[in-house]
Amino acid sequence: MAETLRGTVAVSSPAPVDRRPRVWLRFVVLAVVVAAAAVLLLTWNIPLDPAQRGYWLAVDLRVTTVATVAIVACCQAVATVLFHTATGNRILTPSIMGFDALYVVMQTGLVFFFGGAALAATDGLAKVALQSLLMVAFATLLYGWLFAGKRGNLHIMLLIGIVLGVGFGSLSTVMQRLLTPSDFDLLSARLFGNLSNSNPEYLPWAAVIVAIVLVVVWRRRRRLDVLTLGRDVATNLGLAYKREVTVLLILVAVLISVSTTLVGPMTFFGFIVATLAYQLAGSSRHAVVLPFAALLGAATLLGGYFVLRHVFYAAGMLTVIIEFVGGLFFIVYLLRKGAL
């Protein structure tokens, strides 16, 4: 009997290693980094005593920036992960569908037809809401039209999105060349993402919209896991593939429109965050990857903004540096994957 037990123990396979504690540890570390960066941004270098009223007024002004950074980071990270799931390709980004180019052509057209003063004169919630609605309507019509027919194909949709993005970009370039130098300077300031120029009037509606989208995404997280298996497998498992992908892309359009109208275009930030989240999350399940990507994006933006603002005194350069580093990271990623 003892020999039998020893034999059983000897041939038994080793117990699987549970990596969940490591994942939760990473979650906790990221959450601590986000909380610490937010507190530092709110309280660092205020030349007043906390007992004074002016101290809390200064903190209140900084709350707008911290909230904007958190919303933008969440939008970019989640939208990119969802876009990768919908397309089945982790190299593509939502900007490939022409969202950023559409925002640029709308801003350029406003200055071209009404002058640079129109940018400041039309600032407000109505303009932001109209821009967001136009971007979402563009995405809905494009996806609905391309997926409605029997020949609906994701690759054709991506190709048409690229063509439209190039067309919008060319149209914007033509109009920008015809602007006066003063109008072009005003326009250029709007076309670069700037976290410092956020308007507190926009934050409540942005937070509500993003919260609704995140709830919808979280309720569909298991369907997203099925989508990653591919079109044929997802269809065989009973998933309405076209409908799910269309809904997913519309949610991506909503998130990108909110982020773009708040701070301007950010092409590569979501790609960086999503790629790192895949590597560090330790799981391919969306229930893990999505929160991890959102926390990683918030930690990156908040930490980078704090360093550039209070160490190098160049907070406005954050998005420029992110786009530069993101472009290099994108090229290196393509080269390592052998896609070029």
Side-chain angles (χ1 to χ4, degrees):
M1 183 67 180
E3 294 179 355
T4 304
L5 289 176
R6 285 195 297 269
T8 304
V9 174
V11 300
S12 61
S13 59
V17 178
D18 187 6
R19 296 185 177 181
R20 290 186 179 181
R22 295 182 182 180
V23 175
W24 284 111
L25 180 60
R26 294 170 185 173
F27 269 116
V28 172
V29 171
L30 277 179
V32 171
V33 171
V34 171
V39 171
L40 288 174
L41 277 176
L42 292 174
T43 60
W44 187 267
N45 201 24
I46 298 179
L48 295 171
D49 189 86
Q52 297 178 348
R53 183 171 179 269
Y55 178 90
W56 297 106
L57 290 177
V59 171
D60 187 59
L61 291 175
R62 297 183 180 188
V63 168
T64 300
T65 301
V66 174
T68 301
V69 170
I71 291 175
V72 170
C74 185
C75 288
Q76 290 286 336
V78 173
T80 305
V81 173
L82 295 181
F83 192 75
H84 289 169
T85 300
T87 59
N89 192 318
R90 293 184 177 181
I91 296 177
L92 302 176
T93 62
S95 61
I96 200 174
M97 297 304 299
F99 295 128
D100 295 344
L102 180 60
Y103 172 82
V104 171
V105 77
M106 286 191 295
Q107 297 291 324
T108 305
L110 181 63
V111 176
F112 180 80
F113 290 107
F114 302 103
L119 284 176
T122 57
D123 276 345
L125 188 58
K127 176 186 174 183
V128 173
L130 180 61
Q131 289 179 167
S132 300
L133 288 175
L134 286 176
M135 295 175 70
V136 175
F138 164 75
T140 304
L141 291 175
L142 178 63
Y143 303 150
W145 172 57
L146 292 175
F147 269 178
K150 294 181 179 179
R151 297 182 179 180
N153 188 293
L154 183 61
H155 298 92
I156 295 177
M157 185 194 66
L158 292 174
L159 179 60
I160 292 178
I162 294 173
V163 172
L164 290 176
V166 173
F168 290 149
S170 301
L171 180 60
S172 301
T173 302
V174 171
M175 289 190 292
Q176 289 172 12
R177 291 183 180 275
L178 298 176
L179 295 177
T180 62
S182 58
D183 288 345
F184 182 77
D185 288 341
L186 292 173
L187 176 64
S188 298
R190 294 295 183 94
L191 297 183
F192 286 99
N194 193 339
L195 300 173
S196 301
N197 291 337
S198 56
N199 193 327
E201 182 184 359
Y202 306 156
L203 292 180
W205 73 266
V208 171
I209 293 175
V210 172
I212 293 174
V213 172
L214 293 181
V215 170
V216 174
V217 170
W218 184 255
R219 291 174 63 90
R220 307 173 81 90
R221 63 189 184 278
R222 294 183 178 87
R223 300 183 184 182
L224 300 180
D225 293 337
V226 176
L227 280 179
T228 58
L229 300 176
R231 179 172 185 161
D232 295 336
V233 176
T235 303
N236 291 333
L237 292 176
L239 199 67
Y241 180 81
K242 289 185 178 181
R243 184 185 66 188
E244 292 297 328
V245 171
T246 303
V247 171
L248 203 59
L249 292 174
I250 292 174
L251 294 177
V252 170
V254 173
L255 292 175
I256 294 298
S257 67
V258 171
S259 172
T260 306
T261 52
L262 282 178
V263 301
M266 297 181 69
T267 305
F268 291 109
F269 174 71
F271 173 78
I272 297 174
V273 172
T275 303
L276 292 177
Y278 297 140
Q279 302 298 323
L280 300 177
S283 174
S284 60
R285 294 186 300 115
H286 286 79
V288 178
V289 174
L290 288 173
F292 200 92
L295 281 175
L296 186 60
T300 302
L301 276 188
L302 288 172
Y305 188 81
F306 173 79
V307 171
L308 287 179
R309 178 174 182 176
H310 295 289
V311 178
F312 297 102
Y313 303 99
M317 296 293 293
L318 176 61
T319 53
V320 178
I321 294 175
I322 288 176
E323 294 304 296
F324 176 73
V325 175
L328 293 178
F329 184 78
F330 183 74
I331 294 174
V332 172
Y333 185 83
L334 288 179
L335 292 174
R336 289 192 62 185
K337 292 295 182 180
L340 290 180

